[in-house]
Amino acid sequence: MIFHFGIMVVMTTCLWSSKHRDRSLKSSESGMGKLCNVESPDIIIVGAGVAGPALAYTPGEDGRRVHVIERDLTEPNRIVGELLQPGGYLKLIELGLEDRVSEIDAQRVLGYAIFKDGKSTKLPYPLENFHSDVAGRSFHNYFNHMIFPGVKLEQGTVTTLIEENGTIKGVQYKTRAATELGAYAPLTIVCDGCFSNLRRSLCNPKVRINSSPILFYPISSTEIRCLVDVPGQKVPSVSNGEMARYLKAAVAPQIPPELHDAFISAIDKGSIRTMTNRSMPASPHPTPGALLMGDAFSMRHPLTGGGMAVALSDIVLLRDLLRPLQKLNDASSLCRYLESFYTLRKPVASTINTLAGALYKVFSASPDPARNDIRQACFDYLSLGGVFSNGPLALLSVAIYGVGRLMLPLPSHKRIWTGARLISAEGIRQMFFPVRVPPYHRAPPIA
């Protein structure tokens, strides 16, 4: 079988950091009410990547009217959301959506193969205790083609959230015909991805610089994706051939022999795209009438491919929180109740986020001899196999071990800060002791 390689260059950059809420919120007193849709939905969802359609499914099944607004409904051609870990697939089963991945030529993924300095080792998922069909899945991202009962899917660009007296009432958006409309609902959920222009009004984003090893994974029965990290804010140009020369000179020598010729062939064909890589821990501003989810809310390094697993886990949690509610109209009570969402999601989301960040620190090349010793030690540890490489928990152990090794040979202030930031970014109390956080125990408001 002939596989086609597509090379995605992941750029590292810093997006922005803001301690202030976005000033683009629109007041409903500006006349927007004259442009609202005839039948108001119960929930507005901004974005139809991975999180949006899956999130729309359950409320629609439960009889709620859902309006999903997506900027571009054409077939996506992007790197976001292509690898689903087994835990994420289990969440698809829990949502009743597992059949969707069988319709898009998804490929079963059974673990990792790690290559270093001419040596290799396998890191399989511990799947023996699950149904035989449970494994990772990798695929082209076609999730925005999912259509469900009770869900209105519309192409449009959401420009602002409509606010009245501190409560989000809906969104202002432009249709494909450039008509400006307003959509109103008791609850607006923003999940418009890593390039969200709405997140600053709902959270305190602190985006960090990242870099990573080289990754390969299948996205169909005939295609393999390759991710290459290029550190720094200025990357070689694709258009003038500078990127191709960089890939051949700096990256190709690191590629395993089995993949080397296909990698060079893909470069020569010009199958190169670039995308900014970001990392951002979740730091929400609980806002009546609105909720933030997906990559718009929290991002982690793509090394572990954990983004969809986090999003789908959040969707299952939100589904269970919303189901007991007969109405969503009391914005302040709903906001107070949904603060529990931000706490209940932490043990899963923070574990995956910390794992991704720590493994990047462990496995990335460095001029520091101590860091390179860590990389070799972790490779040797995983090469032992068996219980030493048994699934994500073992990976997390390696990550924590690697963070500890960052202190060697001497625990300088910089190394202590780096290790502490990796572990504490997601909130130690919410991650390890969520039952001690008051919102954990919030009961549904009485209708």
Side-chain angles (χ1 to χ4, degrees):
M1 181 176 292
I2 298 175
F3 286 94
H4 302 284
F5 274 63
I7 300 175
M8 172 61 67
V9 177
V10 181
M11 303 179 293
T12 63
T13 187
C14 185
L15 179 61
W16 31 250
S17 178
S18 172
K19 294 183 179 179
H20 305 288
R21 299 191 59 174
D22 190 88
R23 299 300 181 186
S24 65
L25 293 177
K26 288 281 186 178
S27 170
S28 61
E29 299 175 357
S30 64
M32 279 296 302
K34 300 177 182 179
L35 300 173
C36 65
N37 293 324
V38 176
E39 186 178 11
S40 296
D42 299 300
I43 299 174
I44 294 170
I45 297 175
V46 182
V50 172
L55 177 62
Y57 172 69
T58 299
E61 287 285 294
D62 290 344
R64 290 193 167 107
R65 297 184 301 273
V66 182
H67 186 183
V68 180
I69 306 173
E70 163 60 30
R71 181 183 61 82
D72 187 0
L73 287 176
T74 59
E75 183 177 302
N77 182 19
R78 59 186 182 221
I79 193 67
V80 177
E82 292 183 321
L83 178 61
L84 179 65
Q85 298 287 7
Y89 185 72
L90 287 171
K91 293 299 178 181
L92 272 186
I93 294 175
E94 195 170 344
L95 289 166
L97 295 173
E98 67 274 16
D99 61 315
R100 300 293 170 159
V101 296
S102 63
E103 301 170 358
I104 56 176
D105 196 22
Q107 302 299 298
R108 297 179 82 242
V109 178
L110 303 177
Y112 294 87
I114 304 175
F115 295 83
K116 183 181 183 296
D117 300 332
K119 298 179 180 180
S120 65
T121 187
K122 294 180 180 179
L123 191 63
Y125 295 130
L127 303 175
E128 61 273 7
N129 295 325
F130 297 116
H131 186 276
S132 59
D133 188 47
V134 174
R137 295 293 194 279
S138 53
F139 42 76
H140 282 289
N141 185 336
Y142 297 141
F143 272 68
N144 67 6
H145 288 196
M146 295 194 294
I147 301 174
F148 304 117
V151 178
K152 175 185 178 182
L153 179 60
E154 182 179 9
Q155 181 165 313
T157 301
V158 175
T159 54
T160 54
L161 300 174
I162 301 171
E163 180 186 30
E164 181 179 330
N165 299 324
T167 297
I168 303 302
K169 297 293 187 178
V171 300
Q172 181 178 348
Y173 69 103
K174 289 184 179 180
T175 66
R176 294 183 62 182
T179 303
E180 194 168 282
L181 296 176
Y184 294 82
L187 179 62
T188 298
I189 302 177
V190 176
C191 47
D192 54 346
C194 59
F195 299 107
S196 173
N197 63 348
L198 303 175
R199 64 158 64 94
R200 280 183 289 182
S201 59
L202 301 173
C203 75
N204 178 26
K206 296 180 180 179
V207 182
R208 294 172 178 166
I209 297 173
N210 277 332
S211 62
S212 73
I214 303 164
L215 303 178
F216 290 90
Y217 54 89
I219 54 174
S220 76
S221 56
T222 60
E223 298 166 284
I224 292 178
R225 179 78 76 199
C226 172
L227 269 71
V228 177
D229 177 77
V230 179
Q233 294 188 341
K234 181 176 175 57
V235 299
S237 170
V238 174
S239 60
N240 66 10
E242 187 181 6
M243 179 64 76
R245 291 190 293 272
Y246 170 84
L247 292 173
K248 287 183 177 181
V251 179
Q254 306 174 54
I255 302 297
E258 300 91 330
L259 302 172
H260 183 272
D261 290 347
F263 181 78
I264 295 297
S265 177
I267 296 173
D268 292 338
K269 290 178 181 178
S271 306
I272 304 172
R273 295 179 60 223
T274 61
M275 180 176 179
T276 304
N277 173 35
R278 300 178 172 96
S279 177
M280 184 180 74
S283 181
H285 296 309
T287 304
L291 194 72
L292 196 60
M293 290 188 66
D295 282 348
F297 178 40
S298 173
M299 290 177 280
R300 79 288 310 146
H301 197 277
L303 176 61
T304 56
M308 281 192 287
V310 171
L312 293 171
S313 176
D314 285 352
I315 290 167
V316 170
L317 174 59
L318 184 61
R319 175 200 66 181
D320 294 343
L321 289 172
L322 291 180
R323 269 187 168 163
L325 306 180
Q326 295 182 2
K327 297 180 180 180
L328 306 176
N329 298 85
D330 188 339
S332 59
S333 296
L334 181 63
C335 178
R336 177 175 169 79
Y337 170 58
L338 289 182
E339 283 185 33
S340 61
F341 166 78
Y342 297 119
T343 300
L344 292 168
R345 68 179 297 276
K346 274 293 184 178
V348 171
S350 298
T351 297
I352 295 175
N353 292 353
T354 302
L355 170 63
L359 283 179
Y360 143 64
K361 289 292 185 183
V362 170
F363 287 114
S364 293
S366 171
D368 185 345
R371 285 275 300 278
N372 288 326
D373 287 344
I374 295 172
R375 295 175 67 220
Q376 186 62 51
C378 290
F379 181 84
D380 293 342
Y381 176 88
L382 294 174
S383 297
L384 295 174
V387 296
F388 299 100
S389 59
N390 193 17
L393 288 180
L395 280 176
L396 183 59
S397 299
V398 172
I400 302 301
Y401 166 75
V403 171
R405 285 289 299 269
L406 286 174
M407 304 299 114
L408 301 177
L410 292 174
S412 66
H413 292 295
K414 182 178 180 179
R415 288 175 174 169
I416 292 174
W417 170 245
T418 299
R421 191 176 68 175
L422 283 171
I423 301 300
S424 65
E426 296 290 329
I428 291 177
R429 186 182 178 197
Q430 287 186 314
M431 181 176 178
F432 295 105
F433 310 103
V435 295
R436 299 184 63 183
V437 181
Y440 182 91
H441 306 281
R442 296 271 164 85
I446 299 175

